[in-house]
Amino acid sequence: MNLAIIGGTGLSQLEGMTEIRHQVVSTPYGEPSGPVTIGRMGGHEILFLPRHGYNHRIAPHEINYRANIWALREMGAARILAVSAVGGISAAMKPGSLCVPDQLIDYTWGRPSTFFEGDLESVTHVDFTHPYDPELRAAFLEAGAALSIPMIDGGTYAATQGPRFETAAEIRRLSRDGCDVVGMTGMPEAVLARESDLRYASLNVVANWAAGLQGDGRVDMDEINRTLGIAMQDVRRLIVRMLQYHI
């Protein structure tokens, strides 16, 4: 077993899994978001963990990212497919779009963000020039092409602190910084995977326009939930296709 899927908002359960069992994993960093689900999908055994918990109760800034990544690696994961709901900033990122980002900017603060701290023999630095694994990114895109599901290749993910949504002025700043989408969970998840030698790629589901960009500029949770409900059907199809033909 070497594939794990981390689910975000809208993907707290992975439909289509069979032979399901759950395993509680204790880590040096505390408890993960929940038991790790082990099951079969697309003919492969996989791991699944919803980062907000199975009841979607853990806020973005309170997720124990280190425990989640440590638990998945301990369970045998070598590759992680992460699914995240985001707000669209650039014109191409309209609600309902699926984006496979290739870059990110971290605006979070105060989150434990590394395994390399404390009583170390030496300081450790990891290369993070390209935060997402190119082969896993390509697999997402190839699966979309095979299923005729439109996918956006590339984009810069802005990781903000949450749990509140951003102000219109903050979104204007992110746009000036070159960000295409905004979410609250992409970091430190991605860098912890890199520190753990896990290949990691993300699929962003654009749930809404970011604050101040459309209509009265307000972020509507009902709109977000409706959009995610539709888009997650394609996400599940993509995951099955990748399992069957790429992973």
Side-chain angles (χ1 to χ4, degrees), residues 106-127:
D106 187 9
Y107 299 92
T108 65
W109 49 269
R111 302 181 181 188
S113 59
T114 182
F115 292 114
F116 299 132
E117 61 183 9
D119 187 16
L120 301 176
E121 293 183 1
S122 63
V123 176
T124 302
H125 303 282
V126 296
D127 177 71

Side-chain angles (χ1 to χ4, degrees), residues 88-225:
I89 298 176
S90 62
M93 302 297 180
K94 63 182 180 180
S97 300
L98 300 179
C99 169
V100 184
D102 60 351
Q103 278 297 328
L104 63 80
I105 301 177
D106 187 9
Y107 299 92
T108 65
W109 49 269
R111 302 181 181 188
S113 59
T114 182
F115 292 114
F116 299 132
E117 61 183 9
D119 187 16
L120 301 176
E121 293 183 1
S122 63
V123 176
T124 302
H125 303 282
V126 296
D127 177 71
F128 205 50
T129 306
H130 303 289
Y132 302 107
D133 183 82
E135 292 184 10
L136 291 182
R137 289 191 66 256
F140 266 130
L141 296 167
E142 290 170 14
L147 295 171
S148 299
I149 296 174
M151 308 274 283
I152 299 172
D153 180 2
T156 298
Y157 175 106
T160 59
Q161 181 70 0
R164 68 169 177 84
F165 289 113
E166 300 73 32
T167 68
E170 287 170 332
I171 293 301
R172 290 195 295 270
R173 173 201 175 191
L174 298 183
S175 180
R176 291 193 297 270
D177 285 353
C179 299
D180 298 290
V181 296
V182 58
M184 303 174 189
T185 60
M187 284 291 285
E189 191 174 272
V191 73
L192 292 169
R194 179 62 54 85
E195 288 185 351
S196 302
D197 292 323
L198 301 178
R199 294 168 55 191
Y200 176 98
S202 181
L203 175 63
N204 293 167
V205 183
V206 183
N208 59 287
W209 288 112
L213 295 183
Q214 291 287 314
D216 65 3
R218 297 172 62 87
V219 178
D220 186 329
M221 281 305 302
D222 289 336
E223 172 198 349
I224 289 174
N225 290 329

